[in-house]
C-alpha cells in the first residue's frame, strides 16, 4: 500500500453559485407579500356591482350585501385571487422540494463535485485531440518539398530543361511618357463621367478633385482619400489608392505599412459592398476613433507631466473621460469626449444628412452643464487646450457667481467700492475678480488652472488665511462671497486699527458685549465691531465702528461697569441698561454726524481719524451736557452747526435758555438780568496741551460796555468782550465725557462779577494796571519780566507794543499779522510768545556775544522769515542754520538744520563737530542725523552749542585766513535763496 502523499489530489469542492435556503425563503415570502398587496389593490380598483333598477330598501340592501355570483366584477375578483393563490402554491411546493433536498445537501454536493470532475476529465481528453489536430494543420506550411535535383542540374548546366512546358507568353512593351499621359487622361475622363453621371455622392463627399488617374475626396478636418477605377464599366467598384489625415498633430502619410494594407483591404471590401456611402462611413468612423486615440495619448502625457496628480483618465469604449481638479472638495468635475451620432442635432437644426462627430459633455461639480459651448478645434487636436477652455468656463462661473452675490451688498451695489471682473474664454489664469476692500486696498481673486485652488493678490497674511478658507469650500459659487465679505470687514478693521493707533487712539480689545446689546445699538448686524477711546477721556465712553456689508457706521457708546445680577430681592434695582455676563453694559449711544458724499464707505485716513477725535469728543460732551440740562430742567435746543473754521467737526450747537438755567440754581446771579436770555454753547475741539474738550459759551449783555476800563483784579485769558455790541464769550475746558454745566454757572458768576467791576470803574474812574477794554497789558514771562501791550481800537487792527528790551521786537511785525489774521489771533499770539521766547533769548545772547567779543572773527546774523522760521548765519566760517517750528501729534518742536551750500574748503573739524552734534541727544532735544528736533525749552541749549562750535572753528581759522571776507557780502548772500535742498526729517 503506497503512502498517503502519493494519492491524487482531492476533488475540488464546488461552492460557486450556492445560495442559502433562508435567503430564498425570505425572498419568496417578500414576493408573496408584494403580490398579495398588488392583488388587493387591483381588486379594490375593480368596479363594484351596480343594481339594474330601484327596488325596495330591503331587497336592494340584500343584493348589495351578498352580491351577485354571476356578475362579471365578482368573477374577475375571484379569478384574480385564485390565480395568485395557485401561483404562490406552486412556488411554495418548489420550496418544499428544495427544503427536502437540503436535508441531503452534503451527499448531493458530493455528487455535484464528482459530476463536475468527470466533465472536466472529458473536456481534457477532447482538448488533447483537438490540440494535436491543430498542431498538424499549423505545421503544414513549415514542411519543405523534396528538391527536384534533376531539373536543377539541367537548368544550371544547359540553361534550359526540354521537359518543362513553354506557354509562349510575350512580355508587353514598356509604355512611353506620351502613352502614360494619354492613359491617365483617359482614366480622368472615365472618372469624371462616372462620378458626375453614374455615382450617387454622399453629402459629405461633395468636395472632390480628379487628377493623375484618381479622384480625391476631401472631408475637411478629417481625411483625404484617393480612389480609381479598374474597368470602363461604370457598374464595377472603385478601388482604394491612398489615404491622408487632414488634422494636426499627425503625419500626412500613414506610417505603418501593415495598417495601410489593412485599411486598403477593408476599404475595397466596403467599396464593393456599399459603394461611396459605405466608404465614407467606414473612413469617417476610423478617423473619429483615431482622433479619440490621439486625445487619449495627449492626456496620458499631461497626466505624467505638469498636470500630474491633477487629472485622472478613464477610457470607456470609444469615449475618453478626463477628470480635473482632483483635490478640490465637493462634487467631481470632468469632461467626456466621445463620438456623437448627430441625430439630435439633425432633428433640431433640420440638416440634410445627420453626421456623427466628436462631442463633449461637461460635468461641473457632479452636475452636467448642457448649455455650455466648448470649441474642440478638431483641425488641431489638443487635450490641454480643451481642458483650459473647460476650466476657463468653470473659473468664470465661480467668479461670476461671487460677483453677482457681492453686488447684492449696498457697498458694491451703490458703487461705493469698485468691483470688476475680467474673464478669458481660453486662458483661465487670465480671469480675475478685483474687489475693492477699502479705499486703499484691493483684492484680486483668481483660480489656479491646474489645481483649482483660489489665489489672492497681493500676498499678505490676511489673504493667505482667506485662501485656505476658499480652498476648503465645497460650493464656492454660493459660499465664497461670504468669505470675501468677511475679508473686507477684516481689512477695513485692520486699516482702521493701524491708522488709529498712529494718531493716538487706544483700543479696547477685551470688550465682549452680548448679542442683545449689539442688536439694540447697531441697526444692521455687523461683521466686525471695534471699540476705542482717546487718552484723557472718561472711562465710561468709547467710540465704536461697526463694519458690515452696508459700510461703516461710527458711534459713541456709554458703558457701565455693573456687578453680576444678584439673587436676592435687590435684583429689582438693576441699572437702566441690560447687564452683560462680563459685568459691562451699554447705555446711551449716538451715531456720529459724519458727513460725506459716500458716507457708507469713508476712507479712514489719518486726517479723518484725527478729526474723528474732535467730532467724537464734541458729541460726547454735547450728550452729557444735554443730559445734565435735563437733570436741571433747563430749557435747551439743538441746532445743526455750519461748517466754519472754528467748527469743522459739524457737532450741533446747543442753545440754552438763560432764565430757566438761573431759576433752577436756587439763587439769582445778580439783582437783575444783566445778559440776554439766550446762551450759545459751541464745541471747539480738543486742547493740545491737556487733551480736554474745549467749548465756547457765547452770550450778549443787555447793555454794551463801550469805553469802560476794567478793575485791577486779573481777568481770565479765555474771556472775550465786544465793547460795541456787548457780546462776550469764554472758553470752558473739561475732560471728555464730563459735563460742564457747573463750570458754566461758575463762569457766569465770574462774568457777573466782572460786570460789577466795570460799573465800579465807571463810577469811580479807576485806572487798571493790567487790563482794559481798549488795552491789555500782560506779563508773559515772569522770570524775565516781559510784558506785551495790546491795543484794541475801534475799526482798526489790534496793535502790539513791546518795550525796547523785549526779545520779541525782532518779530513784532509778524506777530501783529498773526494777531489780526483770524478770530484766534490772540490765542495764536499767546502761544507763539511762549514758544519762541527761549529761542529769541538765545538769539539775543549770540548777538551780545558777537558785539562784546571784538577779537573773534565770527559774526552772527539772525534773519527772521516768519514768526516760526529763522535763519542764523555766520561769516567766518561761512555757514547758515535754519530754525523752524514744526508740529507733530499735538506737540510743537523746533527743527534746527544746516542750510546753504557747504564750501569745499571748509574746516573738516567743523563739519565733523556739527555732524556729531546732530547725532547726539540732550535734555529736551534729539539729534536726527541731518538736523535736531528740540522742545520749546531745549532749543536754547541747541542754539548755544551750535554757536560755540562755529565760534571755535572761527578761532582756529584765524591763522589760515587770507584777505578776510566782506561782511556786507554775507548779508547780501543771506537774502539769496539756497539752491541746495538739504535732507530734512519732517516732524509734521
Amino acid at each position: 500500500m503506497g503512502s498517503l502523499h502519493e494519492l491524487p489530489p482531492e476533488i475540488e469542492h464546488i461552492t460557486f453559485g450556492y445560495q442559502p435556503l433562508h435567503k430564498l425563503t425570505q425572498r419568496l415570502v417578500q414576493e408573496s407579500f408584494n403580490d398579495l398587496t398588488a392583488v388587493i389593490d387591483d381588486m379594490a380598483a375593480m368596479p363594484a356591482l351596480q343594481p339594474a333598477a330601484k327596488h325596495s330598501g330591503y331587497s336592494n340592501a340584500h343584493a348589495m350585501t351578498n352580491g351577485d355570483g354571476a356578475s362579471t366584477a365578482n368573477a374577475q375578483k375571484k379569478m384574480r385571487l385564485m390565480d395568485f393563490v395557485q401561483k404562490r402554491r406552486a412556488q411554495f411546493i418548489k420550496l418544499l422540494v428544495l427544503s427536502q433536498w437540503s436535508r441531503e445537501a452534503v451527499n448531493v454536493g458530493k455528487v455535484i463535485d464528482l459530476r463536475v470532475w468527470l466533465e472536466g476529465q472529458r473536456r481534457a481528453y477532447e482538448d488533447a485531440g483537438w490540440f494535436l489536430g491543430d498542431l498538424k494543420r499549423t505545421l503544414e506550411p513549415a514542411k519543405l518539398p523534396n528538391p527536384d535535383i534533376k531539373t536543377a542540374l539541367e537548368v544550371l548546366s544547359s540553361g534550359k530543361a526540354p521537359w518543362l512546358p513553354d506557354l509562349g507568353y510575350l512580355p508587353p512593351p514598356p509604355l512611353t511618357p506620351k502613352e502614360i499621359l494619354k492613359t491617365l487622361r483617359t482614366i480622368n475622363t472615365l472618372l469624371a463621367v462616372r462620378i458626375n453621371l453614374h455615382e450617387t455622392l454622399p453629402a459629405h463627399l461633395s468636395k472632390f478633385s480628379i487628377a493623375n488617374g484618381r479622384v480625391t475626396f476631401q472631408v475637411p478636418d478629417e481625411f483625404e482619400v484617393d480612389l480609381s477605377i479598374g474597368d470602363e464599366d461604370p457598374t464595377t467598384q472603385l478601388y482604394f489608392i491612398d489615404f491622408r489625415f487632414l488634422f494636426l498633430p499627425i503625419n500626412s502619410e500613414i506610417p505603418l505599412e501593415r495598417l495601410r494594407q489593412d485599411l486598403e483591404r477593408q476599404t475595397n471590401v466596403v467599396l464593393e459592398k456599399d459603394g461611396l456611402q459605405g466608404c465614407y462611413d467606414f473612413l469617417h468612423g476610423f478617423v473619429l476613433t483615431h482622433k479619440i486615440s490621439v486625445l487619449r495619448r495627449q492626456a496620458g502625457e499631461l497626466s505624467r507631466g505638469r498636470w500630474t496628480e491633477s487629472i485622472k483618465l478613464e477610457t470607456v469604449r470609444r469615449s475618453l473621460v478626463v477628470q480635473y481638479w482632483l483635490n478640490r472638495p465637493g462634487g467631481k468635475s470632468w469632461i467626456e469626449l466621445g463620438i456623437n451620432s448627430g441625430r439630435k442635432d439633425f432633428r433640431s437644426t433640420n440638416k440634410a444628412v445627420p453626421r456623427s462627430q466628436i462631442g463633449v459633455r461637461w460635468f461641473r461639480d457632479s452636475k452636467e452643464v448642457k448649455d455650455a459651448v466648448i470649441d474642440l478645434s478638431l483641425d488641431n487636436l489638443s487635450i490641454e487646450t480643451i481642458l483650459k477652455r473647460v476650466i476657463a468656463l468653470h473659473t468664470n462661473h465661480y467668479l461670476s457667481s461671487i460677483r453677482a452675490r457681492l453686488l447684492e451688498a449696498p457697498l458694491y451695489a451703490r458703487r461705493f467700492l469698485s468691483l470688476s471682473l475680467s474673464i478669458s474664454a481660453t486662458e483661465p489664469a487670465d480671469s480675475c475678480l478685483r474687489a475693492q476692500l477699502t479705499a486703499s486696498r484691493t483684492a484680486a481673486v483668481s483660480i489656479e488652472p491646474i489645481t483649482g485652488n483660489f489665489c489672492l493678490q497681493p500676498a499678505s497674511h490676511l489673504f493667505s488665511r482667506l485662501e485656505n478658507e476658499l480652498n476648503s469650500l465645497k460650493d464656492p459659487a454660493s459660499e465664497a462671497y461670504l468669505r470675501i465679505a468677511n475679508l473686507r470687514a477684516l481689512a477695513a478693521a485692520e486699516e482702521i486699527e493701524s491708522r488709529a493707533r498712529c494718531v493716538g487712539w487706544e483700543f479696547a480689545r477685551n470688550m465682549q458685549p452680548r448679542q442683545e446689546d449689539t442688536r439694540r445699538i447697531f441697526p444692521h448686524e455687523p461683521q466686525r465691531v471695534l471699540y476705542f477711546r482717546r487718552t484723557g477721556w472718561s472711562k465710561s465712553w468709547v467710540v465704536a465702528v461697526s463694519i458690515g456689508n452696508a459700510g461703516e457706521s461710527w458711534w459713541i457708546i456709554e458703558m457701565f461697569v455693573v456687578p453680576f445680577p444678584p439673587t436676592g430681592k435687590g435684583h429689582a434695582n438693576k441699572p437702566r441698561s441690560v447687564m452683560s455676563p462680563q459685568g459691562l453694559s451699554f447705555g446711551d449711544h449716538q451715531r456720529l454726524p459724519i458727513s460725506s458724499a459716500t458716507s457708507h464707505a469713508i476712507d479712514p485716513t489719518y486726517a479723518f481719524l484725527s478729526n474723528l477725535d474732535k467730532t467724537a469728543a464734541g458729541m460726547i460732551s454735547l450728550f452729557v451736557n444735554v443730559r445734565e440740562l435735563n437733570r436741571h430742567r433747563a430749557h435747551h435746543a439743538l441746532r445743526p452747526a455750519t461748517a466754519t473754521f472754528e467748527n469743522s467737526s459739524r457737532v450741533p450747537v446747543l442753545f440754552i435758555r438763560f432764565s430757566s438755567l438761573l431759576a433752577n440754581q436756587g439763587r439769582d446771579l445778580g439783582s437783575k438780568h444783566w445778559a440776554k436770555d439766550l446762551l450759545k454753547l459751541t464745541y471747539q475741539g480738543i486742547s493740545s496741551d491737556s487733551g480736554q474738550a474745549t467749548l465756547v459759551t457765547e452770550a450778549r449783555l443787555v447793555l454794551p460796555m463801550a469805553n469802560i476800563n476794567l478793575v485791577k483784579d486779573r481777568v481770565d485769558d479765555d474771556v472775550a468782550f465786544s465793547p460795541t455790541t456787548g457780546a462776550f464769550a469764554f472758553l470752558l475746558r473739561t475732560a471728555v465725557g464730563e459735563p460742564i454745566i457747573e463750570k458754566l454757572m461758575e463762569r457766569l458768576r465770574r462774568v457777573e462779577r466782572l460786570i460789577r467791576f466795570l460799573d465800579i470803574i465807571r463810577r469811580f474812574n479807576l485806572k487798571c494796571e493790567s487790563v482794559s477794554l481798549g488795552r491789555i497789558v500782560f506779563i508773559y514771562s515772569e522770570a524775565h519780566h516781559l510784558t506785551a501791550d495790546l491795543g484794541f481800537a475801534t475799526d482798526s487792527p489790534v496793535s502790539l507794543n513791546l518795550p525796547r528790551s523785549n526779545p520779541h521786537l525782532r518779530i513784532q511785525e509778524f506777530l501783529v499779522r498773526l494777531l489780526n489774521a483770524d478770530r484766534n489771533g490772540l490765542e495764536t499770539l499767546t502761544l507763539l510768545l511762549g514758544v519762541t521766547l527761549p529761542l529769541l533769548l538765545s538769539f539775543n545772547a549770540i548777538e551780545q556775544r558777537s558785539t562784546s567779543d571784538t577779537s573773534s572773527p565770527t559774526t552772527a546774523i539772525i534773519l527772521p522769515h516768519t514768526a516760526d522760521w529763522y535763519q542764523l548765519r555766520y561769516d567766518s566760517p561761512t555757514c547758515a542754520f535754519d530754525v523752524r517750528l514744526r508740529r507733530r501729534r499735538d506737540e510743537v518742536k523746533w527743527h534746527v538744520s544746516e542750510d546753504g551750500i557747504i564750501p569745499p574748503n571748509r574746516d573738516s573739524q567743523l563739519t565733523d563737530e556739527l555732524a556729531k552734534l546732530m547725532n547726539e541727544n540732550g535734555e529736551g532735544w534729539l539729534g536726527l542725523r541731518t538736523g535736531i528736533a528740540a522742545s520749546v525749552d531745549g532749543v536754547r541749549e541747541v542754539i548755544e552749542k551750535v554757536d560755540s562750535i562755529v565760534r571755535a572753528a572761527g578761532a582756529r581759522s584765524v591763522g589760515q585766513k587770507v584777505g578776510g571776507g566782506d561782511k556786507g557780502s554775507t548779508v547780501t548772500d543771506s537774502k539769496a535763496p539756497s539752491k541746495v535742498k538739504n535732507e530734512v526729517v519732517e516732524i509734521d
Side-chain angles (χ1 to χ4, degrees), residues 214-266:
R214 64 183 68 183
V215 55
T216 302
F217 293 99
Q218 184 180 29
V219 180
D221 299 338
E222 292 191 10
F223 64 89
E224 276 185 352
V225 60
D226 296 338
L227 304 178
S228 188
I229 59 176
D231 197 339
E232 295 182 1
D233 187 2
T235 60
T236 59
Q237 75 169 82
L238 295 171
Y239 292 93
F240 176 89
I241 302 298
D242 200 0
F243 178 85
R244 293 172 297 278
F245 291 111
L246 294 182
F247 59 89
L248 298 176
I250 200 162
N251 294 330
S252 59
E253 300 291 339
I254 300 178
L256 299 179
E257 188 63 28
R258 181 179 177 182
L259 176 61
R260 181 185 182 87
Q261 293 176 359
D262 293 341
L263 184 62
E264 180 178 359
R265 183 176 61 254
Q266 190 67 27

Side-chain angles (χ1 to χ4, degrees), residues 453-665:
N453 292 332
F454 281 85
C455 302
L456 273 77
Q457 295 293 336
S460 67
H461 72 282
L462 192 63
F463 290 178
S464 176
R465 183 171 59 184
L466 178 65
E467 283 183 4
N468 296 333
E469 294 180 2
L470 292 177
N471 292 329
S472 63
L473 296 177
K474 293 185 178 180
D475 187 10
S478 60
E479 299 176 6
Y481 83 98
L482 293 174
R483 303 301 191 277
I484 297 178
N486 189 43
L487 172 68
R488 197 212 73 81
L490 289 174
E494 184 182 74
E495 189 172 271
I496 292 173
E497 183 174 355
S498 62
R499 294 182 179 181
R501 288 185 182 278
C502 294
V503 296
W505 288 97
E506 297 178 353
F507 280 81
R509 293 187 174 276
N510 298 326
M511 296 184 59
Q512 298 179 356
R514 294 193 309 176
Q515 293 185 357
E516 291 81 356
D517 290 338
T518 305
R519 295 193 191 100
R520 179 173 56 88
I521 294 177
F522 306 114
H524 305 287
E525 186 173 355
Q527 294 172 319
R528 300 277 295 179
V529 180
L530 299 178
Y531 303 94
F532 46 94
R533 63 165 63 91
R534 289 298 291 257
T535 304
W537 283 19
S538 173
K539 297 297 183 181
S540 60
W541 286 92
V542 294
V543 172
V545 53
S546 62
I547 306 172
N549 292 330
E552 290 79 51
S553 301
W554 302 80
W555 302 77
I556 54 172
I557 302 175
E558 187 177 17
M559 300 185 308
F560 295 96
V561 179
V562 295
F564 286 96
T567 57
K569 296 181 179 180
H571 179 59
N573 298 324
K574 61 181 180 180
R576 56 181 173 176
S577 60
V578 182
M579 292 180 292
S580 65
Q582 291 79 14
L584 289 178
S585 64
F586 289 165
D588 295 326
H589 58 278
Q590 180 64 41
R591 187 167 182 173
L592 294 178
I594 298 175
S595 60
S596 174
T598 57
S599 58
H600 291 278
I602 295 176
D603 183 13
T605 61
Y606 294 103
F608 168 78
L609 292 172
S610 299
N611 191 51
L612 179 65
D613 177 17
K614 301 177 182 179
T615 304
M619 290 298 298
I620 293 173
S621 301
L622 188 65
F623 197 92
V624 296
N625 287 321
V626 169
R627 192 165 60 190
E628 187 72 10
L629 290 173
N630 291 331
R631 189 177 66 84
H632 287 287
R633 298 181 180 179
H635 298 168
H636 59 277
L638 292 173
R639 294 291 182 269
T642 57
T644 61
F645 177 79
E646 296 82 357
N647 188 16
S648 59
S649 58
R650 303 191 65 84
V651 177
V653 178
L654 178 61
F655 292 92
I656 306 172
R657 183 73 66 180
F658 191 27
S659 58
S660 64
L661 184 62
L662 298 179
N664 290 280
Q665 293 298 315

Side-chain angles (χ1 to χ4, degrees), residues 914-927:
L914 290 175
K916 180 180 178 182
L917 177 63
M918 294 182 182
N919 285 278
E920 293 178 351
N921 301 330
E923 183 178 358
W925 58 279
L926 174 65

